[in-house]
Amino acid sequence: MAFYSDKVLEHFKNPRNVGEITNADGIGEIGNPVCGDMMTFYVKIKDNKLEDVKFKTFGCGAAIAVSSMVSEMAKGKSVEDALKITNESVAAELGGLPPNKMHCSNLGADALHRAIEDYQNKHKEAK
Ligand code: FES
């Protein structure tokens, strides 16, 4: 399977931070209508830092590896820095993705951003 980098395969086989945060501060859900894959990100934010990040992904191997990598990259970061995580930076951290799998990394970054935006919206209302 030279198609995928070792890092992608490793994250696919041992995904980090799989699951759900029951009292999450933000939840972001996204799906790709073409492949039908779905991803949900949960964030716990304290003092403007992503204290915990978890995800549930119903998708291809690349989508699972991407979710795992996004969760690792985002954990411990400030809200602003986590929002700077892009599909390109995730793919680069994974040692690249095949061109027809780049949309899988879009899902990861977008779901994380949505979860943070969900937190920000709730926060606005509380003020
Ligand atoms: Fe759609 Fe990977 S094939 S997320």
Side-chain angles (χ1 to χ4, degrees):
M1 258 225 276
F3 199 54
Y4 289 117
S5 72
D6 288 347
K7 231 172 178 180
V8 171
L9 292 174
E10 205 272 313
H11 275 267
F12 168 61
K13 285 183 200 148
N14 303 297
R16 333 291 199 258
N17 307 308
V18 177
E20 197 176 318
I21 300 175
T22 38
N23 54 347
D25 294 314
I27 300 175
E29 203 166 18
I30 196 149
N32 183 302
V34 178
C35 64
D37 290 356
M38 292 203 21
M39 203 178 270
T40 309
F41 261 83
Y42 304 84
V43 292
K44 191 87 198 141
I45 298 178
K46 198 175 169 203
D47 299 330
N48 200 46
K49 274 212 159 57
L50 276 73
E51 205 178 43
D52 201 8
V53 182
K54 287 202 186 307
F55 71 89
K56 283 203 296 202
T57 293
F58 297 93
C60 70
I64 290 168
V66 160
S67 322
S68 171
M69 181 52 89
V70 167
S71 70
E72 280 216 314
M73 287 168 80
K75 225 173 173 175
K77 277 209 166 72
S78 69
V79 166
E80 293 73 25
D81 286 345
L83 283 170
K84 284 184 201 145
I85 296 172
T86 62
N87 58 326
E88 285 92 4
S89 61
V90 176
E93 277 296 321
L94 282 169
L97 280 169
N100 65 342
K101 287 283 171 184
M102 278 308 284
H103 80 269
C104 315
S105 64
N106 278 333
L107 281 188
D110 287 353
L112 173 74
H113 293 175
R114 276 197 188 179
I116 295 173
E117 281 156 19
D118 182 40
Y119 158 78
Q120 288 174 326
N121 288 336
K122 283 181 190 156
H123 212 66
K124 248 188 256 159
E125 281 163 24
K127 271 186 187 166

